[in-house]
Amino acid sequence: MTDTVAVTSRRREATRQKLLDAAAQVFAEEGLDAASVEAICERAGFTRGAFYSNFDSKDELFLELAGRVARARVDAVRHRVADLERDGALTLASTDALSIVQQILDVSADDRLAILLMSEIRIHALRDPQLGAAYLAQDAEMRDSVAQIIADIGRAKTLRFRVPADEAARLMLTVWESEAVRAAMAGLDYEALCRRTSEELARVAQLIIEAPED
């Protein structure tokens, strides 16, 4: 009986994941309002029955998807930091501080589809208090993660910043996301998108990192 329950649970989770993956594409392409349950089911290869056995409504699915996207972005930053720490990049004197921050943000850089989805999430976060609160919590968590990284880099490299670490993180994340949206609007491919955001981050870094004394 236990094995049967476990198999059923795994199958149900796999179905939910496929529906969420399909919904991410449909929401990004069509928007939440225009996207239909039928379109999501067709993209996932399931029936409406499979949808409603996992989600009460399209809005519920959207909320769970928004949470999943948020957690993935924060986890990407954390994993990248762990990789850099393991490789000793945070303490290597020869490594430029800006390049470290860029590597951390670039690992979670969004492709066009993800940018469209995040834009859709932001629009509905403005209208839905529950989604808005979740979005702001995710945003704060991401900012705190990047601020900690900036503080660690500053200590490891004895750098001085003109603004506190949390303000530096806020500026960098704002520029990063803003330029990613603009790059997507301009139709740039993924590599060009990353290059454009990196260039803008370099400009911000010039403003917030004090030049070393001779």
Side-chain angles (χ1 to χ4, degrees):
M1 179 66 72
T2 301
D3 290 342
T4 301
V5 171
V7 169
T8 301
S9 178
R10 286 196 298 269
R11 187 175 300 159
R12 179 181 177 83
E13 181 59 27
T15 299
R16 288 178 69 87
Q17 288 301 318
K18 287 183 180 179
L19 286 167
L20 286 164
D21 290 340
Q25 295 178 337
V26 175
F27 287 150
E29 294 168 0
E30 303 180 15
L32 176 62
D33 295 332
S36 66
V37 170
E38 288 77 10
I40 294 170
C41 291
E42 182 178 354
R43 185 71 62 93
F46 294 123
T47 63
R48 284 172 59 89
F51 181 95
Y52 285 110
S53 67
N54 285 275
F55 301 100
D56 291 335
S57 66
K58 184 176 66 173
D59 287 343
E60 181 190 341
L61 183 150
F62 185 75
L63 282 172
E64 182 166 334
L65 179 62
R68 187 178 75 158
V69 170
R71 290 189 296 273
R73 298 182 93 201
V74 173
D75 286 346
V77 170
R78 287 176 174 165
H79 290 159
R80 185 54 174 164
V81 172
D83 289 342
L84 291 172
E85 288 179 335
R86 185 182 63 248
D87 296 339
L90 295 184
T91 56
L92 288 176
S94 60
T95 305
D96 179 70
L98 172 62
S99 70
I100 294 175
V101 175
Q102 287 177 322
Q103 288 179 64
I104 292 165
L105 294 183
D106 283 350
V107 76
S108 54
D110 299 319
D111 59 19
R112 180 178 175 79
L113 193 67
I115 291 169
L116 288 170
L117 177 59
M118 285 304 302
S119 296
E120 189 69 16
I121 290 172
R122 291 189 192 98
I123 289 171
H124 286 274
L126 288 169
R127 299 170 180 160
D128 185 315
Q130 181 182 0
L131 182 57
Y135 180 86
L136 289 175
Q138 174 269 326
D139 187 64
E141 188 175 358
M142 174 74 87
R143 188 173 64 249
D144 288 346
S145 295
V146 175
Q148 185 61 56
I149 295 160
I150 291 172
D152 290 345
I153 292 171
R155 284 192 294 270
K157 296 180 173 297
T158 63
L159 293 174
R160 295 184 63 183
F161 293 89
R162 294 188 174 94
V163 296
D166 61 334
E167 290 300 321
R170 186 192 302 274
L171 285 169
M172 287 188 165
L173 287 169
T174 298
V175 169
W176 172 53
E177 293 187 349
S178 175
E179 288 307 314
V181 169
R182 286 184 170 84
M185 288 181 180
L188 302 184
D189 61 23
Y190 182 75
E191 290 185 1
L193 187 154
C194 289
R195 185 166 56 251
R196 178 165 172 171
T197 54
S198 292
E199 290 171 353
E200 292 304 316
L201 284 172
R203 293 188 178 93
V204 174
Q206 290 174 350
L207 296 175
I208 65 176
I209 299 177
E210 291 188 359
E213 297 180 357
D214 295 331

